[in-house]
């Protein structure tokens, strides 16, 4: 009986709404069409799919304890995490510069690659938020920093503060990214199929109902992040720009053999504010070295020769507070 009563009440409200709309269409056609245009614009906003903006490569934080033992300094240990930062009109923009920034994220997934397995996650912001980042590099760096913190909290991870902005905008396929962010297959709205005709209110309401989202905004604070199982859009509160790390003093020496061929690269980095190697995050690739101590130091060096990162070694001298890195030059046949 209760269900019947509720259904009857809903039908009564729908009938009243249609009556008011019919009256508006007859007595104030301009207001009626204005309402239709507003509803159409809102429906188009909700129906617009997310688009790729930039792709980050991040990694789990390195324990770095092996550095003090002279073991290989493999900052690349751990499977990479690709973060697709996307532009999505469905995610609202902050109402004021000091307001939290809404963000929507899909699930964290593991994907088998050609070599090792990697992880991937999609994060979406309003286009206006990303545009401000493009206009101001500091804002973009801050947004990336907060994105990493958001993913750490949401996925229960500890990520390195080091990241790479990939040359491509999207890891994986566009369709898969859009499905992950939407959470389910969305029906294609009729609005895009016929833009010449004014859509009926019934079409608009049907589209709005189909797109009605459990993706309602949620708050995500920068310092304390709260989760909600039912809500897929969250907000990042960001009022302060993180302190910029300084570039440490360093010395790089190329060691050559008797025939003056490059043998190895030795790097000495002074870190006077570091008391333990566990504070350091080191990444060595074939052509560069990155060392970072969060909120203190950051150094990225392009190497003059391709190196063998697998056999690299690093030792931290606690007394002198210096990090010594030895990187063998790769053999020509490798």
């Amino acid at each position: 009986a209760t269900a019947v009563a509720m259904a009857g009440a809903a039908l009564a409200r729908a009938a009243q709404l249609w009556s008011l709309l019919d009256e508006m269409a007859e007595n104030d056609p301009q207001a009626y069409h204005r309402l239709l245009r507003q509803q159409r614009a809102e429906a188009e906003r909700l129906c617009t799919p997310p688009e790729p903006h930039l792709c980050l490569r991040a990694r789990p934080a390195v324990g770095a304890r092996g550095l003090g033992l002279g073991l290989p300094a493999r900052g690349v240990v751990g499977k990479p995490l690709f973060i697709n930062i996307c532009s999505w009109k469905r995610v609202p923009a902050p109402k004021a510069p000091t307001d939290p920034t809404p963000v929507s994220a899909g699930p964290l997934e593991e994907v088998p690659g050609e070599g090792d397995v990697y992880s991937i996650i999609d994060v979406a912001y309003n286009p206006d938020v990303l545009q401000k980042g493009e206009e101001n590099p500091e804002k973009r760096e801050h947004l990336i920093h907060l994105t990493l913190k958001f993913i750490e909290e949401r996925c229960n991870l500890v990520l390195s503060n080091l990241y790479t902005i990939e040359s491509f905008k999207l890891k994986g396929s566009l369709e898969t990214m859009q499905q992950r962010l939407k959470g389910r297959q969305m029906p294609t709205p009729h609005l895009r199929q016929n833009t010449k005709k004014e859509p009926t209110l019934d079409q608009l309401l049907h589209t709005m109902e189909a797109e009605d989202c459990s993706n309602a905004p949620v708050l995500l604070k920068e310092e304390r992040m709260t989760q909600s199982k039912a809500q897929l859009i969250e907000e990042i509160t960001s009022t302060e720009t993180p302190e910029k790390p300084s570039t440490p003093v360093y010395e790089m020496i190329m060691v050559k053999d008797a025939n003056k061929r490059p043998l190895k690269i030795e790097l000495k980095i002074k870190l006077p504010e570091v008391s333990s190697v566990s504070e350091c995050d080191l990444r060595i690739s074939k052509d560069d070295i990155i060392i970072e101590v969060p909120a203190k130091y950051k150094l990225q060096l392009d190497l003059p020769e391709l190196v063998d990162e697998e056999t690299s070694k690093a030792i931290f001298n606690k007394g002198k507070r210096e990090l010594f890195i030895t990187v063998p030059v790769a053999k020509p046949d490798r």
Side-chain angles (χ1 to χ4, degrees), residues 55 65 106 163 213:
C55 181
R65 290 184 177 83
Y163 60 85
C213 223

Side-chain angles (χ1 to χ4, degrees), residues 28-320:
D28 194 349
Q30 290 185 351
Y32 176 74
H33 287 291
R34 186 164 56 248
L35 174 64
L36 288 182
R37 286 194 294 271
Q38 291 172 349
Q39 293 296 320
R40 178 181 180 178
E42 179 65 10
E44 286 184 335
R45 184 185 72 82
L46 293 176
C47 295
T48 301
E51 297 294 335
H53 182 74
L54 66 85
C55 181
L56 303 177
R57 179 198 290 259
R59 287 186 180 273
V62 181
R65 290 184 177 83
L67 303 182
L69 300 175
L71 297 177
R74 298 188 59 195
V76 293
V77 170
K79 61 189 174 187
L81 168 63
F82 290 95
I83 304 168
N84 291 322
I85 295 184
C86 305
S87 171
W88 200 8
K89 290 183 179 179
R90 186 171 195 159
V91 180
K95 296 180 181 179
T98 56
D99 284 353
T101 302
V103 54
S104 179
L108 178 69
E109 292 188 357
E110 286 192 351
V111 181
E114 295 180 359
D116 296 332
V117 173
Y118 63 87
S119 298
I120 189 168
I121 190 170
D122 313 291
V123 179
Y125 294 99
N126 185 274
D128 292 344
V129 173
L130 298 175
Q131 180 60 35
K132 290 178 181 177
E134 289 300 309
E135 296 169 356
N136 188 328
E138 289 187 4
K139 288 186 177 179
R140 183 172 79 164
E141 184 177 354
H142 191 203
L143 185 64
I144 290 174
H145 170 77
L146 294 177
T147 300
L148 294 175
K149 288 184 65 177
F150 165 53
I151 293 172
E152 282 184 322
E153 186 69 17
R154 165 179 275 250
C155 303
N156 194 26
L157 297 174
V158 179
L159 297 176
S160 166
N161 288 321
L162 299 175
Y163 60 85
T164 302
I165 299 178
E166 298 289 357
S167 57
F168 48 85
K169 292 184 177 181
L170 180 71
K171 182 70 172 178
S173 73
L174 178 65
E175 181 181 2
T176 303
M177 174 272 286
Q178 292 176 344
Q179 288 182 358
R180 279 194 300 254
L181 277 175
K182 292 179 179 180
R184 55 191 169 92
Q185 187 68 37
M186 296 297 182
T188 304
H190 299 291
L191 299 178
R192 298 186 178 276
Q193 297 177 0
N194 187 355
T195 55
K196 294 182 179 180
K197 295 182 179 179
E198 191 74 22
T200 66
L201 188 62
D202 180 66
Q203 287 175 319
L204 287 171
L205 292 176
H206 177 73
T207 302
M208 294 289 284
E209 180 182 359
E211 291 289 323
D212 179 42
C213 223
S214 49
N215 298 351
V218 191
L219 294 181
L220 176 69
K221 302 300 181 185
E222 182 175 3
E223 297 301 328
R224 184 177 178 180
M225 305 177 184
T226 7
Q227 288 292 335
S228 174
K229 294 180 181 178
Q231 298 166 320
L232 300 180
I233 296 182
E234 308 175 37
E235 292 187 353
I236 300 176
T237 300
S238 170
T239 55
E240 298 181 0
T241 303
E243 183 180 350
K244 287 187 176 180
S246 61
T247 302
V249 176
Y250 68 92
E251 180 182 358
M252 184 163 58
I253 300 174
M254 174 70 74
V255 179
K256 299 182 179 180
D257 61 15
N259 297 319
K260 295 186 178 181
R261 289 178 298 195
L263 186 64
K264 61 182 177 179
I265 298 172
E266 293 181 346
L267 182 64
K268 179 172 69 175
I269 306 171
K270 295 184 179 295
L271 304 171
E273 296 183 25
V274 176
S275 58
S276 171
V277 70
S278 61
E279 300 178 47
C280 303
D281 198 353
L282 175 65
R283 176 187 170 191
I284 300 177
S285 68
K286 291 183 179 298
D287 55 8
D288 71 355
I289 292 179
I290 301 175
I291 175 73
E292 183 172 28
V293 181
K296 292 181 181 179
Y297 302 109
K298 182 174 182 180
L299 176 66
Q300 179 171 0
L301 293 175
D302 293 328
L303 300 175
E305 299 283 344
L306 294 179
V307 300
D308 182 5
E309 72 273 21
E310 297 293 332
T311 57
S312 302
K313 294 183 179 181
I315 300 176
F316 183 70
N317 187 317
K318 291 185 178 181
K320 295 183 178 181

